[in-house]
Amino acid sequence: MKQFISFVRKEFYHIFRDARTTMILLLMPVILIILFGYAITTEIKRVPIAIFDQSRDELTLKMTDRLKASEYFELYTIVDSYKDAQALFRQGKVHVIVVFPPQYASTPDAQVQVLADATDPNEATQLIAYCSAIIAEQLRGELAVESKAVTPVTTLLYNPQMKGAYNFVPGVMGLILILICAMMTSIGIVKEKEMGTMEVLLVSPLKPIYIILAKAIPYLLLSMVNIATILLLSYFLLDVPIKGSLLLLVSVSVLYAIVSLCLGLLISTVADTQQAAMLISGIALMLPIMLLSGMMFPIENMPDILQWFSHIVPAKWYIIAVKDVMIKGLPAVSILKEVGILSLMAVVLVFLSVKRFKIRL
Amino acid sequence: MKAIEVKQLTKRFGTFTAVDHISFEVEPGEIFGFLGANGAGKTTAMRMLCGLSIPTSGEARVAGFDVYRESESIKRNIGYMSQKFSLYGDLKVWENIRLFGGIYGLSKQQLSRKTDELLDILGLEKERNTLVDSLPLGWKQKLSFSVAIIHEPKIVFLDEPTGGVDPVTRRQFWELIYEAAARGITVFVTTHYMDEAEYCNRVSIMVDGKIEALDSPSALKRDFKTTNMNQVFHALARKATRGE
């Protein structure tokens, strides 16, 4: 035990002596949260819009006002011809153009045309939906008496304001934990191999399992500091609530951190240089998390093969569990499946990497 | 009891035989030089003796313990200094000493006494709080050797311990080795510097995985009718068919 403690102490020296890396590790969650919270956002806000109003009656003017007043759109200009409208599109000045037909108010089955720039299909879909909703609402107000159409009442559960933060905060947690635990652990172990100190340790009476544990513990603690940073920032800065049990949230995070540590350990048995370790963690871990964890792109829309592949990305299960606990406020029972899968992954990875680590002796 | 006893020790990697049926014995307190060109199999042989690698066949006992079954006991009775640098550059001198002392289970009192003693012998008292990275290579190597024997092992294995330093610094390093040997520590050292070979009690020369010669430096020089170890080594190494 004394051996072990002197060894853990050494790992902390390594981390804190390398001030630059430590700063990066501590600041990274802050930067990611601010970036995702304020800069990189998929929310629609003040999108430039142009209106081609061929009728200019009371109704279309009201609709124009409504569009102008909405926080989603900003009126770029009123155009007088299709040609002008298309020119604006080509120059990229506007993303949406609303066309009102002549004599709109007096024509019973007249229709409003909404043109959207679909180079970004997701944005275009959202813009059209918002635009139609605003127009439909105005129309309903005007024709309230005559309208017999069924109007659906929608309620957005868990995230009524449709804030992006509710989605990316769990994503960033998944990303940071992998980054610290897997990447830094693998680099730390491979560094000892590269420097030749690993041999000296293996010749010593220190058990290999202690060497591994001593490497993992400091990064586990560091990653918990990061989780705390993320939760504090998202709670106070981005107003993301923590609806469920904090203890449960932290427990799931520790479990996921352990899975990440095992991944890092596995990588360290494969990689021979620090660069290789960094590259493998970058490509084999970061990319799947960004693309296949559901953090940025919905998994449901992916081809079957990618959906299958996404099942083996630990971050996917962690992010689901975090959303369930943090955003929906669900109890432990509801994330049993995710916890089970993550635990299974941890066991398999521990088995694989300890086996591989032994072979190296 | 012999310090090291090796009989027909062999290590194969697939079809490649890195170490081919070598046999030798090392007496307690002896300084045994393990020579060979790069790729001759010295490091592989040494790794087997340290318990880092399991032999394919043959027998070996280190400090009386069997390399197959008792590697844990071997580890407690040996010290090891690797070819690459064995200390942590981002740790201070005394932190390195404390770390390795701690790994070998030294008590607090033993540690502080050993640390003072060691820094005194090496003349490093002023550098106690210096990061090891900023020490000159020769000092690092001496410190590294002293740390490798901090727990007074029965045998210390040195894998090309003086790579990259000048003959004067090597000579100083060897004074430490002599002191350790005088205290009864058996020294097993690989090298390809022939001036170092002269310092050993006995040397073995490995060529292509086999031990081609084993005797005291003076006897070897007599047998090969030359005046220096360099010519002995070249006469043998010329037969090598393995490249690097």
Side-chain angles (χ1 to χ4, degrees), chain A residues 2-3 6-7 9-11 13-15 17-18 191-208 360-361, chain B residues 47 50 52-54 72 75-76 78 80 82 84-88 90-92 94-95 98-100 102-108 131:
Chain A
K2 231 176 69 190
Q3 296 176 313
S6 61
F7 205 73
R9 191 165 43 201
K10 158 203 164 261
E11 294 301 331
Y13 283 142
H14 285 323
I15 293 175
R17 295 266 157 87
D18 190 356
K191 189 177 176 188
E192 298 238 8
K193 282 206 280 187
E194 250 187 330
M195 304 291 285
T197 44
M198 187 53 94
E199 267 190 10
V200 181
L201 296 178
L202 292 178
V203 172
S204 80
L206 205 59
K207 289 216 166 54
R360 292 230 148 223
L361 297 190
Chain B
R47 289 172 66 87
C50 294
L52 281 177
S53 157
I54 294 166
E72 288 310 308
K75 284 178 181 179
R76 269 195 295 278
I78 63 171
Y80 178 75
S82 88
K84 293 179 199 160
F85 186 54
S86 335
L87 298 175
Y88 292 96
D90 55 350
L91 259 55
K92 291 171 185 166
W94 72 273
E95 287 167 351
R98 184 181 61 179
L99 170 68
F100 284 100
I103 288 177
Y104 281 96
L106 264 57
S107 71
K108 234 183 187 143
L131 290 186

Side-chain angles (χ1 to χ4, degrees), chain A residues 32 171-179 256 286 289-290 295:
Chain A
L32 278 181
V172 168
M173 286 164 72
L175 199 62
I176 290 283
L177 282 180
I178 279 274
L179 207 69
Y256 176 65
M286 300 280 280
I289 291 177
M290 301 283 250
M295 175 189 179

